[in-house]
């Protein structure tokens, strides 16, 4: 073989690729124009854009006809049909309610909101509320459900609730409440968790502590090393208050230094949590959406159609739109065995047209879809 350069060797086959791409592009444009004709028919007939059954027929056919390239052909046609549907959604202005929300929602939180949270003074929820709303002392309620009810019935403007701890994981009860109430998330903050071992002054050596379940889970190493048993209590601050008011011998509390100060407890050890970078993420819930111009976190939820690869194909659409998935949480749908709602967080801003178009498309296609908010993390 004469001494050909790589470019010379590649040239003929690249010419073939260029010829094929030219044909592919023409066929793609023709296919998009067919999709637009379908959209006009759907507009007149008032039928939804997504026809999952039709798409499954196409995917089954291309997998069969593509032979060894079957999987790749399915990925290609999934993307082609996603683009096709997106064009139809744009033409039909799908997600009208979401577009109206994007245009009409306030872009700033209330000036002097009434804040509600679970727990008691000195709880980590208290620290989060004051970080998010300086100077706005919260009203404390017994349970997370009470916080959601108070916001829903107007007794509070914003509720501050923990959604996840970096060590112990998601607060499932709160995600279930978010999915049940479908209120809006209008803010979030990560609060460092620094647990202390505390007791009432003048009481004896601590053999057992009380604290919230998640707090005990975050301090297993210290408690086990020191032979201290744990008993679940409603929350860390309430545990501190119980110990301060009852002064039980041998019983202490795991709580924050703030809570120890609020209730006059003696701090025996600080930073007893298993990991030093432990933090809890708190979300702010509200009845109405607030969509700041500089929001960078999108939260939404939906369940999945019963089609092969539906979660993958849905997440792929976010990736194709340049939106980075930062959280996914699946929770069982009450009363529907082994059916799940998916809660997702993405980076992005709803005021970006591409992002808005994608979320509007999903709102028309995904079962049980709710846009939960677009906010800036503090
Ligand atoms: C084109 C249609 O609309 C959508 C897009 C499809 C496609 O691009 O092939 C197929 C089914 C629908 O989800 C249709 O209903 O035929």
């Amino acid at each position: 073989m004469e001494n050909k350069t790589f470019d010379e060797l590649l040239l003929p086959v690249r010419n073939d690729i260029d010829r094929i791409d030219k044909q592919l592009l023409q066929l793609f444009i023709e296919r998009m124009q067919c999709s637009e004709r379908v959209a006009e028919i759907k507009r007149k007939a008032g039928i939804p854009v997504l026809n999952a059954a039709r798409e499954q027929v196409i995917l089954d056919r291309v997998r069969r006809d593509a032979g060894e390239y079957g999987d790749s052909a399915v990925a290609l046609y999934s993307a082609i049909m996603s683009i096709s549907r997106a064009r139809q959604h744009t033409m039909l202005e799908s997600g009208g309610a979401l577009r109206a929300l994007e245009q009409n929602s306030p872009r700033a939180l209330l000036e002097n909101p009434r804040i509600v949270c679970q727990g008691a003074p000195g709880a980590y929820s208290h620290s989060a509320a004051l970080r998010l709303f300086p100077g706005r002392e919260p009203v404390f309620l017994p349970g997370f459900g009470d916080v959601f009810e108070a916001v829903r019935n107007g007794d509070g403007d914003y509720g501050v609730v923990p959604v996840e701890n970096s060590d112990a994981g998601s607060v499932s009860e709160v995600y279930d409440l978010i999915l049940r109430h479908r209120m809006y998330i209008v803010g979030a903050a990560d609060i460092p968790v620094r647990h202390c071992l505390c007791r009432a002054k003048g009481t004896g050596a601590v053999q057992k502590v009380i604290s919230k379940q998640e707090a005990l889970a975050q301090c297993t190493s210290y408690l086990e090393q020191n032979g201290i048993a744990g008993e679940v209590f409603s929350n860390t601050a309430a545990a501190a208050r119980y110990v301060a008011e009852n002064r039980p011998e041998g019983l202490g509390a795991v709580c924050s230094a703030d809570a120890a100060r609020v209730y006059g407890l003696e701090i025996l050890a600080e930073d007893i949590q298993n990991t030093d970078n432990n933090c809890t993420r708190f979300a702010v819930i509200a009845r109405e959406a607030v969509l700041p111009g500089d929001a960078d976190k999108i939260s939404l939820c939906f369940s999945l159609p019963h089609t092969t690869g539906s979660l993958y194909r849905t997440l792929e659409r976010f990736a194709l739109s340049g939106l980075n998935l930062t959280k996914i949480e699946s929770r069982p749908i009450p009363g529907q065995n082994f059916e799940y709602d998916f809660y997702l967080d993405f980076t992005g801003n709803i005021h970006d047209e591409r992002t808005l178009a994608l979320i509007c498309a999903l709102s028309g296609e995904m079962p049980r879809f709710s846009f939960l908010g677009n906010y800036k993390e503090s």
Side-chain angles (χ1 to χ4, degrees), residues 31 38 42 49-51 54-55 58 81 84-85 88:
R31 192 184 198 281
V38 168
K42 289 179 176 177
V49 168
L50 173 64
N51 184 319
R54 161 71 175 163
E55 296 204 9
I58 292 172
M81 292 191 285
S84 164
R85 288 198 309 275
Q88 293 186 39

Side-chain angles (χ1 to χ4, degrees), residues 11-294:
L11 185 59
V13 66
R14 282 178 171 167
N15 287 340
D16 287 343
I17 288 174
D18 292 346
R19 172 178 50 79
I20 293 164
D21 281 352
K22 192 172 183 180
Q23 296 173 45
L24 273 178
L25 183 59
Q26 287 312 308
L27 290 172
F28 171 72
I29 292 169
E30 191 178 342
R31 192 184 198 281
M32 287 299 286
Q33 291 165 347
C34 290
S35 179
E36 291 168 358
R37 287 160 51 196
V38 168
E40 288 307 330
I41 296 167
K42 289 179 176 177
R43 185 203 306 275
K44 295 184 177 72
I47 53 181
V49 168
L50 173 64
N51 184 319
R54 161 71 175 163
E55 296 204 9
Q56 195 61 53
V57 167
I58 292 172
L59 294 176
D60 293 345
R61 182 176 65 221
V62 299
R63 181 188 295 281
R64 182 191 66 239
D65 295 351
E68 65 178 297
Y69 302 109
D71 289 345
S72 303
V74 165
L76 173 63
Y77 275 78
S78 295
I80 289 172
M81 292 191 285
S82 178
I83 292 164
S84 164
R85 288 198 309 275
R87 177 65 185 136
Q88 293 186 39
H89 282 297
T90 300
M91 289 175 63
L92 301 181
E93 295 180 331
S94 298
L98 190 53
R99 287 187 179 277
L101 192 78
E102 183 270 331
Q103 288 166 6
N104 303 325
S105 293
R107 299 205 174 190
L109 295 170
L110 296 172
E111 287 289 320
N112 297 303
R114 297 165 299 154
I115 308 300
V116 289
C117 69
Q118 184 268 350
Y124 289 104
S125 293
H126 192 184
S127 308
L130 293 177
R131 158 89 85 81
L132 286 155
F133 303 98
R136 305 297 299 168
E137 276 300 327
V139 169
F140 297 98
L141 300 173
F144 297 132
D146 302 309
V147 174
F148 280 78
E149 284 303 326
V151 173
R152 174 169 296 289
N153 63 32
D155 290 340
D157 296 310
Y158 301 135
V160 177
V161 288
V163 289
E164 184 171 13
N165 174 265
S166 55
D167 199 8
S170 298
V171 184
S172 300
E173 180 187 354
V174 172
Y175 277 109
D176 287 340
L177 288 163
I178 288 173
L179 292 167
R180 185 189 321 156
H181 288 270
R182 307 261 169 147
M183 281 189 275
Y184 292 103
I185 298 174
V186 298
D190 290 350
I191 302 297
V193 171
R194 302 184 62 189
H195 293 312
C196 303
L197 173 65
C198 306
R199 70 176 175 190
K201 291 178 179 128
T203 57
V206 173
Q207 281 97 26
K208 184 163 80 169
V209 289
I210 53 176
S211 192
K212 188 158 181 60
Q213 179 180 346
E214 285 83 359
L216 295 175
Q218 295 153 16
C219 301
T220 48
S221 301
Y222 178 89
L223 296 174
E224 284 163 12
Q225 284 163 15
N226 291 275
I228 298 174
E231 183 180 314
V232 175
F233 210 78
S234 58
N235 67 75
T236 57
R241 181 170 61 190
Y242 176 86
V243 168
E245 291 173 353
N246 298 279
R247 300 176 52 74
E249 279 300 322
L251 182 71
V254 170
C255 63
S256 66
D258 287 347
R261 275 190 288 276
V262 166
Y263 299 103
L265 295 182
E266 179 184 3
I267 295 178
L268 300 175
E270 292 190 298
D271 285 329
I272 65 170
Q273 65 277 358
N274 299 335
T275 53
D276 284 340
N277 59 350
N278 186 294
C279 69
T280 294
R281 174 159 296 163
F282 287 82
V284 182
I285 59 167
R287 276 186 315 284
E288 306 298 335
V290 177
L291 302 176
D294 63 348

